């Protein structure tokens, strides 16, 4: 941290806030990846880290280097835009592959497998879908 | 406590938090239960490692880490696409 000798206090505090926020959001996403039960549910939480986490940490980095070098340092936007654009593409490819594998195996828990085979209309499939079981963290409604 | 000391401790804390997130992703990578879960864990491990490199860059005040972060982001994208294609088709290059 000896490189940041003449950083003003407001920039240091704001950078610390941004970096901590981004790390916390990324950890929340990773815990969701750990705890959710279904693959199709587990696809969602890592995107928390790749959107808000990347955005927040890159904002902290942009602020830090811009104030330190007294000129706009915006090359971190490159990484943020790249990650934001590529994550949906990769996850859609991955989910398509997983759905293909599950349907080949005849897994009945896959959403919409009867619809894809033409055995059932979409409205019938929605009516026959069992309600979600409450998880360990869910409180019973009173 | 001056603001610079606070920034230093905040970055150390952020690195510890990101390390915990990497542990979660590594567990999903090792435990599975299926191949797509492992690929998902690897993908999130890549993005968290990229964030970790950016925090290292802020800590040392060097912009060298940024380029490493960019390359890791690129490699994560390419490897996840290749692995998803492998799951779909059974081969990567047809």
């Amino acid at each position: 941290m000896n490189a940041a000798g003449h950083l003003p206090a407001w920039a240091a505090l704001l950078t610390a806030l941004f970096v901590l926020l981004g790390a916390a959001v990324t950890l929340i996403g990773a815990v969701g990846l750990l705890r959710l039960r279904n693959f199709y549910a587990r696809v969602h939480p890592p995107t928390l880290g790749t959107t808000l986490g990347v955005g927040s940490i890159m904002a902290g980095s942009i602020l830090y280097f811009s104030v330190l070098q007294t000129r706009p340092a915006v090359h971190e936007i490159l990484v943020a835009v790249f990650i934001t654009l590529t994550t949906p593409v990769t996850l859609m490819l991955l989910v398509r592959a997983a759905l293909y594998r599950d349907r080949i195996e005849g897994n009945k828990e896959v959403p919409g497998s009867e619809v894809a085979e033409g055995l059932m209309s979409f409205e019938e499939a929605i009516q026959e879908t069992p309600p979600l079981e409450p998880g360990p963290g869910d409180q019973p409604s009173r | 406590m001056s603001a610079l000391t606070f920034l230093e401790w905040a970055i150390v804390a952020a690195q510890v938090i990101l390390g915990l997130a990497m542990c979660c992703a590594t567990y999903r990578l090792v435990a599975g239960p299926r191949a797509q879960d492992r690929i998902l864990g690897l993908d999130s491990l890549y993005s968290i490692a990229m964030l970790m490199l950016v925090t290292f860059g802020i800590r040392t005040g060097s912009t060298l880490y940024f380029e490493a972060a960019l390359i890791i982001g690129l490699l994560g994208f390419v490897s996840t696409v290749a692995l998803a294609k492998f799951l779909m088709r059974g081969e990567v290059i047809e």
Side-chain angles (χ1 to χ4, degrees), chain B residues 9-90:
Chain B
W9 280 105
I11 288 175
V12 171
Q15 283 173 348
V16 171
I17 291 171
L18 287 177
L20 285 176
M22 283 176 104
C23 288
C24 295
T26 310
Y27 176 81
R28 190 48 71 198
L29 175 65
V30 171
R34 299 202 66 199
Q36 49 261 40
D37 293 291
R38 295 176 203 269
I39 296 173
L40 190 60
L42 185 69
D43 185 57
S44 52
L45 197 61
Y46 263 112
S47 57
I48 298 169
M50 195 200 67
L51 290 180
M52 186 79 114
L53 273 177
V54 174
T55 56
F56 266 111
I58 297 177
R59 191 174 173 186
T60 54
S62 153
T63 53
L64 271 181
Y65 287 97
F66 163 75
E67 276 128 40
L70 189 58
I71 289 172
I72 284 190
L74 266 168
L75 284 181
F77 169 62
V78 173
S79 70
T80 311
V81 168
L83 284 168
K85 185 130 184 347
F86 180 76
L87 279 192
M88 193 87 166
R89 301 278 184 188

Side-chain angles (χ1 to χ4, degrees), chain A residues 13-63:
Chain A
L13 289 178
L14 215 53
T15 306
L17 196 71
F18 272 131
V19 171
L20 276 179
L21 179 73
V25 167
T26 309
L27 179 64
I28 291 169
V31 169
L33 177 69
L34 193 66
R35 296 242 3 205
L36 291 179
R37 269 161 271 154
N38 189 354
F39 170 75
Y40 301 100
R42 278 196 290 261
V43 168
H44 299 93
T47 58
L48 211 63
T50 55
T51 52
L52 194 55
V54 167
S56 181
I57 289 185
M58 293 303 169
S61 179
I62 287 172
L63 180 74

